[in-house]
Amino acid sequence: MDSKECMERGRRYIMDTYTRFPAVLVRGRGARVWDLDGKEYLDFLGGIAVCNLGHAHPRVAEAVARQAETLMHVSNLFFIEPQVRLAQLLVEHSFADKVFFCNSGAEANEGAIKLARRYFHDKGGESRFEIIAMDESFHGRTMATMTATGQAKHQAGFNPLLPGFRHVPFNDLDALEKAVSENTCAVMIEPIQGEGGIRVPGADYLRGVRDFCDRHGLLLIYDEVQTGMGRTGTLFAYEESGVAPDIMTLAKALGNGFPAGALLATDRVAVAFKPGSHASTFGGNPLAMSAAIATVETILNDGILENVRAVGSYFMDRLRSFAEAYPVVKEVRGRGLMIGVELYREGAPVVQCAFKQGLLMNCTADRVLRFVPPLIINKADVDRAMDILGNCMGEI
Ligand SMILES: *Cc1c(COP(=O)(O)O)cnc(C)c1O
């Protein structure tokens, strides 16, 4: 198949749910990918915040290959050694005491919603099922997580949505006080909103949310599906605020591209899940767990977090001085290597131009250029990306 034929057949046989770049990516190495025609791209999208160690990372690839030759699947009716090892790693490096494994971000959030409801059910608070989520949030595409998602465009045409969700503006503590009722069980929040446009809350906001939850006896759920796994310069974004949740979800970069999701909780909350209350056929699968162990160990031991902070602040500085030269830029924001550049106009033409010139990124919330590159990029990669961005800003 050449690329034209591949795209034609793709359009014929695959449901039309994605707006795709006109390229067939076939190979990757570090922060670079190549298409079927041999064109090279600098990948500042990283599989949408997934390939945090870059493409074809040797340790992850080797772990998956070795596990595939040893044991690919057995079911959760047995103990699975790599699952135990990953759970211990995650617990030892987070607030949590227990982990449940699944396969994606939506599934992890679905599990978090179920756990919060079940926790109050078991305490006799059956009417406490309502979750307060944020406007412009993104939590997934299943019925529950789509309902939790605070963006009407993702919900259009799928009514009736699930009962038990309320939305308030992000970064607004007063709005939380007004939304709470005797039915509320939890607050669900991304420490930095990703799909909503890389929105970073004020410095004291998360502490305020934690205090609010404690005052009303609510659980705090962090969706770290995008912010987790080193993306913001700490293993988990919440560490920066010093404010721990009761429940946290992970997916995207957990397996560096091998599908894996996780739901973490304190013992106090986790006891609400008992044998039979929640399950997944593939969750915690040996292959996914091996990929994730290699990923977490590399993030922790190979200076990745230091690189995120150093290169992230270099990138941010370059973007800020760039913003001064282009009045179309409204704001540059983010943390670590999760960076958004909000424009006064639609971002899609910039993204298309960059694609043609060999730089991959995307646009979220219509006007926000989003950069979530592999965490292994260096300053020269940033310089290259800035050159292309400069060309494209000149062009539009
Ligand atoms: C991507 C994302 C999800 C959904 O993850 P899937 O693996 O696509 O289901 C949920 N929450 C956040 C914050 C995300 O960025």
Side-chain angles (χ1 to χ4, degrees):
M1 256 193 277
D2 63 16
S3 54
K4 185 162 167 282
E5 191 189 345
C6 182
M7 290 188 263
E8 270 168 21
R9 282 206 227 171
R11 287 190 192 103
R12 184 167 345 133
Y13 293 116
I14 298 170
M15 287 197 198
D16 191 20
T17 59
Y18 303 101
T19 308
R20 298 181 196 261
F21 289 98
V24 184
L25 300 180
V26 290
R27 191 164 61 87
R29 192 88 202 163
R32 283 176 171 69
V33 288
W34 289 267
D35 71 14
L36 201 44
D37 304 322
K39 182 177 168 185
E40 179 180 307
Y41 301 86
L42 178 59
D43 185 5
F44 270 36
L45 184 56
I48 319 185
V50 166
C51 307
N52 280 12
L53 298 177
H55 299 279
H57 190 279
R59 265 179 76 180
V60 181
E62 203 210 311
V64 171
R66 200 182 315 132
Q67 188 63 48
E69 288 170 346
T70 310
L71 184 70
M72 206 175 306
H73 183 79
V74 285
S75 92
N76 283 305
L77 301 182
F78 302 90
F79 283 91
I80 296 169
E81 199 190 342
Q83 194 181 107
V84 175
R85 283 172 52 211
L86 179 62
Q88 183 175 352
L89 254 181
L90 292 174
V91 164
E92 285 175 355
H93 290 92
S94 73
F95 72 95
D97 302 308
K98 292 279 196 297
V99 185
F100 173 87
F101 289 111
C102 54
N103 310 284
S104 69
E107 263 184 77
N109 287 330
E110 192 82 24
I113 293 163
K114 286 178 69 176
L115 181 60
R117 286 188 174 184
R118 181 72 187 232
Y119 172 79
F120 284 103
H121 168 276
D122 290 1
K123 293 200 343 167
E126 291 202 29
S127 63
R128 292 186 69 172
F129 56 83
E130 197 166 80
I131 292 179
I132 303 177
M134 303 297 135
D135 290 342
E136 315 306 327
S137 61
F138 184 82
H139 299 297
R141 304 290 199 141
T142 61
M143 284 306 299
T145 59
M146 177 187 70
T147 305
T149 291
Q151 300 185 56
K153 70 176 181 199
H154 294 310
Q155 301 167 337
F158 297 118
N159 280 336
L161 301 180
L162 244 62
F165 292 88
R166 233 174 222 250
H167 291 90
V168 298
F170 187 56
N171 204 20
D172 181 343
L173 291 172
D174 293 338
L176 282 173
E177 295 289 352
K178 287 184 197 121
V180 70
S181 76
E182 70 278 5
N183 302 124
T184 313
C185 71
V187 172
M188 185 167 187
I189 192 165
E190 299 156 83
I192 296 175
Q193 287 191 333
E195 303 301 308
I198 315 292
R199 291 171 201 278
V200 186
D204 299 327
Y205 177 63
L206 292 178
R207 178 157 302 284
V209 176
R210 176 79 264 182
D211 290 345
F212 165 81
C213 288
D214 292 344
R215 257 185 290 116
H216 294 278
L218 311 178
L219 297 178
L220 177 55
I221 303 170
Y222 282 161
D223 177 346
E224 290 234 28
V225 168
Q226 188 159 159
T227 54
M229 312 318 296
R231 172 60 50 195
T232 66
T234 46
L235 186 59
F236 306 114
Y238 80 81
E239 294 170 41
E240 201 261 356
S241 69
V243 182
D246 302 294
I247 299 174
M248 175 172 77
T249 57
L250 301 173
K252 287 205 162 81
L254 181 56
N256 203 50
F258 203 105
L263 164 61
L264 285 71
T266 58
D267 267 329
R268 174 176 75 99
V269 179
V271 291
F273 273 173
K274 297 175 178 66
S277 34
H278 196 49
S280 166
T281 295
F282 289 128
N285 162 286
L287 277 181
M289 297 298 99
S290 301
I293 292 165
T295 303
V296 177
E297 285 181 344
T298 306
I299 290 173
L300 291 172
N301 300 325
D302 280 17
I304 302 290
L305 299 173
E306 292 77 3
N307 192 62
V308 173
R309 293 194 283 264
V311 179
S313 81
Y314 176 74
F315 193 11
M316 194 83 91
D317 287 347
R318 288 227 42 194
L319 283 168
R320 291 220 160 103
S321 44
F322 179 83
E324 286 164 23
Y326 295 98
V328 68
V329 177
K330 186 175 173 193
E331 193 185 19
V332 179
R333 55 187 184 240
R335 184 180 306 143
L337 283 170
M338 181 175 182
I339 299 178
V341 176
E342 182 167 356
L343 307 179
Y344 281 109
R345 52 164 290 173
E346 300 239 310
V350 182
V351 172
Q352 287 308 320
C353 168
F355 166 75
K356 288 193 187 109
Q357 298 199 23
L359 173 67
L360 301 184
M361 58 178 188
N362 83 339
C363 173
T364 186
D366 296 331
R367 296 173 171 217
V368 183
L369 305 177
R370 172 171 53 174
F371 301 96
V372 280
L375 309 183
I376 46 110
I377 60 163
N378 57 33
K379 290 181 182 174
D381 295 326
V382 170
D383 292 342
R384 173 89 190 109
M386 292 304 302
D387 287 346
I388 295 176
L389 263 187
N391 298 342
C392 291
M393 296 301 264
E395 221 171 81
I396 61 161

